[in-house]
Amino acid sequence: MKLANEDIRNEIKESGLKKWHIAYKLGIADTTFSVKLRRELSTEDKNRIRQIIKELREGN
């Protein structure tokens, strides 16, 4: 069985960030973010997370 949002999970891991960093920027609790990752996210949500990863890596 394939893990939901494996691409996003890998991108977060490779960036050196933690899931709570992303959750904070999204304005949600880290536990809520973890629960959201259990089901496949929409393309829009994935793009938003990718943008947050980029911003955090650039120091914004």
Side-chain angles (χ1 to χ4, degrees):
M1 181 175 181
K2 184 181 176 204
L3 188 62
N5 300 300
E6 190 169 8
D7 54 340
I8 290 294
R9 293 172 192 267
N10 288 336
E11 289 178 42
I12 293 170
K13 190 175 194 177
E14 290 170 9
S15 72
L17 298 168
K18 301 293 184 193
K19 286 186 271 187
W20 70 264
H21 293 120
I22 309 301
Y24 182 80
K25 287 286 271 188
L26 286 170
I28 60 176
D30 57 335
T31 53
T32 302
F33 184 59
S34 292
V35 170
K36 285 177 81 82
L37 290 176
R38 293 179 189 169
R39 297 222 169 21
E40 199 62 34
L41 296 169
S42 68
T43 302
E44 182 179 298
D45 287 339
K46 286 184 177 189
N47 288 339
R48 177 66 183 131
I49 292 168
R50 287 183 175 110
Q51 181 62 36
I52 289 172
I53 291 169
K54 181 180 176 189
E55 290 173 7
L56 288 172
R57 290 188 80 189
E58 293 173 352
N60 296 330

